[in-house]
Amino acid sequence: MKKSSRIIPIIAAIAIQMCLGTAYIWSIFQSGIAKSIFDGDNAAASLTFSLLLFVLAIGSIIGGKLAVKYNTRIIVIIGGVILAAGFFIASLVTPGVPWLLWLSYGVMGGFGMGFTYSTTIACAQKWYPEKKGLVTGLIVSALGFGGVVFTPILEMFIKFFGGPAVGERSTFRVLSLIFLVVCTIGGLFMVNPPETAAVSKNDSQNQLSVDKTEYSPREVLKNPKFYILAFSLMLACMGGLMMIGFAKPIAVAKGLAETATIGVLIISLCNSMGRLFWGFVSDKIGRKLTIIILLIGSGCMSLLVMAANGYLIYVLIGFIGFFYGGFLSNFPSLTADLFGPKHMATNYGMVLAGFGIGAVIASYIAGYYKNIAGQNIDLMQPAFIIAAVSAAAGVVLMLMLKIKAKDKTIAK
């Protein structure tokens, strides 16, 4: 198999994932949408973001099953169309029908992203089975880097279309067009490798340590390891999701209004770097150990958020994003290690259900305490204590995960 034929789907997946990265810069929309659509209710506004992440998990399950039945190319393009339609409808929402934002941006956007998210990861893993962690990290790091690229661009569009509380909805329309073009063109190149094709002699030797057993989604649901993964992911992402949704408002409340957008850029950049770095690390020390390290780091950083003053808050935001990114590169790889690559898109979609539930819980908790806090951001401290306790519970769950001997070189 020519190396060039392996690289093309990876490049296409990176371009698509960069577009999906706009999900992780909701923070730049949060305050304006809360004011213009939800009469200042931060919890109601953040529900839009959490709904998108929750439905993303459902979309991943459905998209994964359809990709196996039909093909990855068709499902990715359909996902892009649904995503674009959702954001276009979101651009038409008025304060009289706030629920339409939940339906369009949240539900339709989540379904569209779900169709494209796990299917592109699964496709990339099949082209490079011997470097699952690194390739997964590379693909999902593009999603994080998309936040870095789009943050200043979208801030510019919001300002161009009238400023905060005015320009957000017109900006959704611009994103709709971008999603449609990139997902359609990129989707044309998303094809799986021939099942009988051998990558190379060295690659085959490297794969001997991976469990060759293929688990169907129904079999996975009967496996206790699935529930450990799903609940661990739910607990792991609490701190990161709270900070992603409220990085800018927290920076403003800390007296850094003029540079608050930097917080969004930092968490997006560190999120991207973490996905690539920890994906590479997990190929060396194992997924299980890597995830435990990430949980400990995330929990510790969450406890320190309220103690940080001045520009130090940006350091804390960066570390939380860095650890959070690691979760999103390691859980897909661990899912493929334990349950096989054939049904990976669907199986990881089911694991993502834990992420979706965690997104709803984390966004509600953060929004609730932000409403209480107002400008006294110290009153948000209970939210991040909850995130730290969740991370500690995640460590306990991961210690309970038993890995078969033939998997240990990869997932130990």
Side-chain angles (χ1 to χ4, degrees), residues 17 103 105 107 131 283 314 341 347:
Q17 291 277 344
L103 177 63
Y105 189 112
V107 177
K131 296 178 181 177
D283 280 339
Y314 293 142
N347 291 340

Side-chain angles (χ1 to χ4, degrees), residues 104-129:
S104 56
Y105 189 112
V107 177
M108 292 181 66
F111 261 114
M113 286 192 177
F115 269 43
T116 56
Y117 179 68
S118 62
T119 49
T120 52
I121 295 172
C123 180
Q125 288 181 346
K126 290 172 184 175
W127 283 102
Y128 288 88

Side-chain angles (χ1 to χ4, degrees), residues 170-182:
S170 295
T171 303
F172 291 157
R173 198 171 302 143
V174 174
L175 284 172
S176 172
L177 179 61
I178 293 173
F179 294 151
L180 184 63
V181 172
V182 174

Side-chain angles (χ1 to χ4, degrees), residues 302-316:
S302 294
L303 287 175
L304 295 174
V305 169
M306 292 303 112
N309 293 311
Y311 291 109
L312 185 59
I313 188 63
Y314 293 142
V315 177
L316 268 294

Side-chain angles (χ1 to χ4, degrees), residues 30 40-47 242 246 360-374 376 379-383 386:
Q30 169 68 30
D41 189 338
N42 281 284
S46 67
L47 180 59
M242 289 180 187
F246 289 88
V360 174
I361 295 172
S363 295
Y364 177 79
I365 290 172
Y368 173 79
Y369 281 105
K370 181 64 173 68
N371 284 339
I372 293 175
N376 183 8
L379 295 179
M380 274 195 77
Q381 186 169 7
I386 292 171

Side-chain angles (χ1 to χ4, degrees), residues 11-51:
I11 294 173
I14 288 172
I16 293 167
Q17 291 277 344
M18 282 186 68
C19 285
L20 304 189
T22 54
Y24 286 94
I25 53 176
W26 170 256
S27 180
I28 69 172
F29 300 123
Q30 169 68 30
S31 296
I33 290 296
K35 182 178 178 180
S36 63
I37 301 294
F38 295 101
D39 195 28
D41 189 338
N42 281 284
S46 67
L47 180 59
T48 310
F49 171 61
S50 56
L51 270 174

Side-chain angles (χ1 to χ4, degrees), residues 43-160:
S46 67
L47 180 59
T48 310
F49 171 61
S50 56
L51 270 174
L52 181 143
L53 296 182
F54 178 75
V55 178
L56 185 150
I58 300 172
S60 293
I61 296 171
I62 298 172
K65 291 183 74 70
L66 291 174
V68 171
K69 185 175 181 180
Y70 300 103
N71 64 64
T72 301
R73 175 187 292 152
I74 292 174
I75 301 308
V76 169
I77 293 174
I78 291 174
V81 171
I82 296 172
L83 177 59
F87 271 64
F88 181 80
I89 295 172
S91 72
L92 305 176
V93 174
T94 64
V97 284
W99 56 267
L100 186 57
L101 189 66
W102 296 332
L103 177 63
S104 56
Y105 189 112
V107 177
M108 292 181 66
F111 261 114
M113 286 192 177
F115 269 43
T116 56
Y117 179 68
S118 62
T119 49
T120 52
I121 295 172
C123 180
Q125 288 181 346
K126 290 172 184 175
W127 283 102
Y128 288 88
E130 77 285 1
K131 296 178 181 177
K132 238 190 247 93
L134 179 60
V135 169
T136 303
L138 179 63
I139 298 301
V140 297
S141 71
L143 188 148
F145 188 67
V148 179
V149 173
F150 279 104
T151 293
I153 295 173
L154 298 186
E155 287 274 17
M156 179 187 69
F157 276 118
I158 291 172
K159 185 176 180 180
F160 176 79

